[in-house]
């Protein structure tokens, strides 16, 4: 394991209003619903690993990512690169979009380590929720590789959780 302890970094939500951008992409920016209420707008059968990215919310996000989200995403990456003095940052061209739909449904189809999916063992995950999270809609991961002692990591909007997702099941 390369990162011993997860940590949080912060960004300015006024400069980077990702929540509002995502609401616009999902076409709920003029509704009475918030991002944490998507499960009230549309119900889904229990999702399995092969279908955990198959909701209408995922479709809208991936269709509009390039035009609506990407410019500010790249700007934040450049700011973090400068703030932390990195020569370069390798990042996902299109970051994975996760939706926790409640009612016992899945946000991710299975516990996994990213290295299982051909990610490098020194890669770090930067998890950036668009709402304040709680134990029911946050990321859970183990403290050491294969220890299996999963615990929740709550993160608020404007925070990014950095953790060793390459080597820790999450």
């Amino acid at each position: 394991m390369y990162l011993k302890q997860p940590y949080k970094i912060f960004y300015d939500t006024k400069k980077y209003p990702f929540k509002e951008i995502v609401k616009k992409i999902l076409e709920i920016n003029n509704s009475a619903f918030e991002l944490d209420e998507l499960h009230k707008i549309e119900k889904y059968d229990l999702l399995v690993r092969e279908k955990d990215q198959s909701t209408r919310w995922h479709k809208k996000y991936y269709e509009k990512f390039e035009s609506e989200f990407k410019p500010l995403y790249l700007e934040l990456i450049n700011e973090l690169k400068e703030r932390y003095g990195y020569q370069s940052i390798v990042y996902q061209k299109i970051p994975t979009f996760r939706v926790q739909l409640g009612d016992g449904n899945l946000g991710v189809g299975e516990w996994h380590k990213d290295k299982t999916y051909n990610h490098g063992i020194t890669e770090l995950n930067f998890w950036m929720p668009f709402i304040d999270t709680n134990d029911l809609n946050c990321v859970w991961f183990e403290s050491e590789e294969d220890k299996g002692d999963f615990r929740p990591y709550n993160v608020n909007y404007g925070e990014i959780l950095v953790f060793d997702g390459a080597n820790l099941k999450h």
Side-chain angles (χ1 to χ4, degrees):
M1 182 177 326
Y2 293 93
L3 180 66
K4 294 289 184 196
Q5 291 295 320
Y7 62 91
K8 293 179 183 178
I9 56 178
F10 303 87
Y11 68 94
D12 183 347
T13 59
K14 299 228 184 304
K15 184 175 180 182
Y16 302 103
F18 291 116
K19 181 191 306 190
E20 288 75 19
I21 292 168
V22 170
K23 285 179 71 173
K24 181 181 174 194
I25 288 171
L26 301 184
E27 299 174 357
I28 63 166
N29 55 323
N30 294 321
S31 78
F33 293 102
E34 290 295 327
L35 288 176
D36 61 351
E37 298 176 305
L38 295 179
H39 64 286
K40 294 178 182 178
I41 299 172
E42 187 166 328
K43 298 280 185 197
Y44 286 89
D45 291 334
L46 188 65
L47 299 173
V48 294
R49 185 182 64 78
E50 295 80 8
K51 301 278 187 178
D52 67 359
Q53 296 276 308
S54 64
T55 70
R56 91 174 192 184
W57 312 119
H58 291 89
K59 183 179 179 184
K60 288 176 182 285
Y61 169 79
Y62 291 119
E63 282 176 352
K64 297 181 180 177
F65 171 80
E66 194 75 28
S67 61
E68 303 287 329
F69 196 94
K70 185 178 180 179
L72 218 51
Y73 171 64
L74 294 177
E75 191 175 315
L76 177 61
I77 289 169
N78 284 327
E79 180 180 308
L80 296 176
K81 179 181 167 189
E82 290 175 20
R83 185 189 311 170
Y84 294 101
Y86 296 119
Q87 285 187 314
S88 65
I89 293 180
V90 177
Y91 57 91
Q92 280 185 268
K93 181 178 178 181
I94 302 174
T96 304
F97 185 64
R98 299 287 185 196
V99 177
Q100 177 59 51
L101 294 169
D103 298 328
N105 223 316
L106 306 171
V108 180
E110 66 180 352
W111 294 102
H112 66 281
K113 300 175 192 179
D114 291 350
K115 69 181 179 183
T116 305
Y117 297 100
N118 299 316
H119 289 259
I121 61 171
T122 60
E123 287 183 21
L124 297 175
N125 289 47
F126 284 58
W127 187 66
M128 184 174 77
F130 304 124
I131 62 168
D132 293 348
T133 67
N134 58 56
D135 289 357
L136 299 176
N137 66 358
C138 65
V139 65
W140 288 59
F141 54 89
E142 56 192 352
S143 65
E144 296 176 27
E145 188 168 10
D146 298 324
K147 191 166 183 180
D149 60 342
F150 297 97
R151 79 172 199 71
Y153 288 85
N154 292 309
V155 180
N156 293 318
Y157 178 54
E159 299 175 343
I160 299 170
L161 180 67
V162 181
F163 70 99
D164 185 7
N167 300 294
L168 300 178
K169 282 186 183 172
H170 56 285

